[in-house]
Amino acid sequence: MGICRGLRGMSPRCSTDTPHCSVLHRISEELFFFFFAAFLLHLMDLNIFFVLPPHSKETPLVLKNTMNALLLFALISLSFADDFEQAYSDLGHDRTIYISENGPKLAVVTDQAKVISQRGANATLPCKFHRDPTLAPNPKLRIKWTKLTYDYLKEIDVFVAMGFHKKSYGRFHGRVHLQDAGENDASLVINELTLEDYGKYKCEVIDGLEDDTVVVSLDLQGIVFPYFPRLGRYNLNFHDAEKACQEQDAIVASFDQLYEAWRGGLDWCNAGWLSDGSAQYPITKPREPCGGKGTVPGVRNYGLRDKEKNRYDVFCFTSNYKGRFYYLIHPSKLTYDEAVQACQKDGAQIAKVGQMYAAWKLLGYDRCDAGWLADGSVRYPISRPRRRCSPTEAAVRFSGFPDKKHKLYGVYCFKGNN
């Protein structure tokens, strides 16, 4: 067939689409095969093809008969191949034929891969499924929502629905339900969002043997802040770090949250735990003791660490709150115990570090008065830098962990709405 195409390519004036040219091509091909066969037989008569290896038991006559048979078979094959080309010439030589199985009969999609909300609010994670219209209705179609861990190795059950049967799990119990905005709507509504609700969720639809999934991320507006306790820096293993953040109305931050904080200008020269068990720290202005002078800015990573033995600080994450954060106006400065009692007398509690950071970052709270917080530290939030009040930058200023019994300061209180 390659020879035939070569002959056609040598006749630029003629096209195989015209009848007279087709006859000419057929005659030229037959003449070519005739002279080519005669040439091969002549070579065999001259024994050019039969240089026998040493000690061969075959004779030239046997080999000549074998070659005659092979030549005849080759000529017949070429003839049939050419007939096939004529019979199926409409396929074209450059056309590719694809053979595939039936495609999927179920597709699960989302029109919003990332949902941003805040603590205390409600959020809808969009998910829809499309069934093949030829499929019969399936009363046992199952919708399942799970929350993924940071490494995707574990799934936490959130909600399952099959027909009239619906069930929510764990800390999601009573807070989640399907939106049911349409026949093919599998969107999940989460009420009263908590800090722990942050993360990635998988929507899975199971329709008989068909199964498909999509992942939706739930992000929370908030702030990342570095934290270490009264004991000093690098004193927390991973479990201590989790507890420390919870006590300050926060959770251990994820890498994505720390990365966004770094992009927002966070620069901190002490490594802290992240929720995946790694220790990292963000550097926007590289310097000799902090990432190395002359290096590029970025989030420095110590990798995954031993959660029991290794000790670092921690990066915490907090979000909006429902309540009021304020500086208590009091006629005199207070010791720590007096500060706790003063807030209680005002119908509130002494504020936590996470609440001060949230008020400062999300509400723009500004107060140039150092005050006690629940962990025994003294801090004050500045959103408008000025002389004697964080003149160089907006920040939550830290005055350390003073002696609780003898040092006197003001106090920041928090009064929840409920």
Side-chain angles (χ1 to χ4, degrees):
M1 298 214 4
I3 296 172
C4 298
R5 295 193 187 101
L7 287 171
R8 296 187 183 109
M10 293 166 61
S11 305
R13 300 180 188 175
C14 195
S15 170
T16 54
D17 295 333
T18 57
H20 69 280
C21 284
S22 178
V23 173
L24 290 174
H25 277 295
R26 184 66 182 174
I27 294 173
S28 63
E29 288 166 5
E30 297 293 344
L31 289 173
F32 175 82
F33 286 130
F34 175 78
F35 287 114
F36 182 66
F39 175 70
L40 291 178
L41 290 172
H42 178 65
L43 292 178
M44 284 188 290
D45 285 336
L46 297 176
N47 287 334
I48 290 177
F49 291 157
F50 304 106
V51 178
L52 296 177
H55 313 295
S56 173
K57 296 181 180 180
E58 299 291 344
T59 65
L61 181 59
V62 172
L63 288 174
K64 183 181 292 187
N65 292 337
T66 303
M67 287 299 297
N68 286 336
L70 288 174
L71 177 61
L72 179 61
F73 178 75
L75 291 173
I76 294 173
S77 298
L78 286 171
S79 177
F80 275 112
D82 191 60
D83 290 340
F84 177 84
E85 182 186 29
Q86 286 184 339
Y88 296 97
S89 60
D90 60 318
L91 288 178
H93 300 303
D94 56 349
R95 183 176 300 178
T96 304
I97 306 299
Y98 294 95
I99 300 175
S100 61
E101 298 180 357
N102 293 331
K105 297 182 179 296
L106 175 70
V108 178
V109 298
T110 182
D111 56 9
Q112 189 176 354
K114 186 176 185 179
V115 175
I116 302 176
S117 188
Q118 62 187 32
R119 177 169 55 174
N122 301 334
T124 300
L125 308 184
C127 177
K128 293 182 180 180
F129 61 93
H130 303 287
R131 303 177 73 240
D132 190 314
T134 61
L135 293 176
N138 182 8
K140 293 186 177 181
L141 184 140
R142 187 180 183 203
I143 299 172
K144 182 179 181 181
W145 279 92
T146 54
K147 188 172 187 290
L148 304 175
T149 56
Y150 71 92
D151 55 5
Y152 286 77
L153 295 179
K154 185 180 179 182
E155 297 183 14
I156 302 169
D157 290 336
V158 175
F159 183 84
V160 174
M162 186 173 69
F164 295 105
H165 303 285
K166 298 177 174 61
K167 185 176 181 180
S168 54
Y169 295 86
R171 58 185 178 81
F172 295 97
H173 182 68
R175 293 197 299 124
V176 295
H177 64 273
L178 293 183
Q179 179 177 245
D180 285 332
E183 182 180 357
N184 297 330
D185 186 20
S187 302
L188 183 74
V189 178
I190 307 178
N191 297 320
E192 292 293 325
L193 290 173
T194 68
L195 296 175
E196 291 78 13
D197 291 339
Y198 165 88
K200 291 181 171 60
Y201 293 78
K202 184 176 78 172
C203 174
E204 180 177 16
V205 179
I206 304 169
D207 185 8
L209 297 178
E210 300 290 334
D211 184 357
D212 198 16
T213 65
V214 71
V215 174
V216 182
S217 296
L218 174 60
D219 199 2
L220 298 178
Q221 295 174 342
I223 179 174
V224 172
F225 61 94
Y227 185 78
F228 60 89
R230 176 178 287 274
L231 292 173
R233 290 178 171 168
Y234 288 10
N235 269 289
L236 300 171
N237 66 21
F238 182 78
H239 307 293
D240 294 334
E242 286 184 312
K243 184 179 178 181
C245 287
Q246 290 170 359
E247 289 175 347
Q248 302 311 315
D249 192 41
I251 59 172
V252 179
S254 70
F255 169 76
D256 290 340
Q257 290 169 334
L258 181 64
Y259 179 76
E260 288 301 316
W262 169 75
R263 290 184 61 188
L266 179 62
D267 183 281
W268 195 253
C269 196
N270 292 88
W273 289 105
L274 294 179
S275 60
D276 61 358
S278 66
Q280 308 190 37
Y281 63 100
I283 295 297
T284 59
K285 300 182 288 291
R287 48 209 182 273
E288 196 54 49
C290 303
K293 189 175 181 180
T295 60
V296 297
V299 178
R300 304 296 195 262
N301 187 355
Y302 287 173
L304 298 177
R305 313 304 291 171
D306 189 311
K307 292 183 177 182
E308 300 289 343
K309 297 178 180 179
N310 292 137
R311 295 181 180 273
Y312 299 96
D313 295 346
V314 61
F315 289 100
C316 302
F317 173 83
T318 192
S319 183
N320 299 64
Y321 51 73
K322 289 187 175 182
R324 178 183 170 224
F325 173 89
Y326 62 99
Y327 180 82
L328 180 65
I329 303 300
H330 197 273
S332 62
K333 299 299 183 181
L334 308 166
T335 65
Y336 177 80
D337 290 339
E338 291 171 342
V340 172
Q341 293 172 7
C343 286
Q344 291 174 348
K345 189 177 293 186
D346 200 50
Q349 294 180 334
I350 187 169
K352 300 177 179 181
V353 176
Q355 292 164 347
M356 176 176 279
Y357 270 99
W360 167 71
K361 180 69 174 181
L362 304 176
L363 301 177
Y365 193 91
D366 182 282
R367 184 84 190 192
C368 195
D369 291 288
W372 291 105
L373 292 177
D375 66 339
S377 66
V378 171
R379 307 173 195 247
Y380 59 100
I382 299 298
S383 59
R384 292 179 286 106
R386 54 199 181 275
R387 187 170 177 264
R388 296 184 181 179
C389 297
S390 186
T392 59
E393 62 178 348
V396 171
R397 288 304 181 184
F398 174 62
S399 301
F401 290 91
D403 188 301
K404 290 183 176 181
K405 293 183 178 180
H406 300 99
K407 296 295 183 179
L408 303 177
Y409 294 94
V411 62
Y412 288 92
C413 304
F414 180 80
K415 187 179 293 186
N417 286 345
N418 55 357

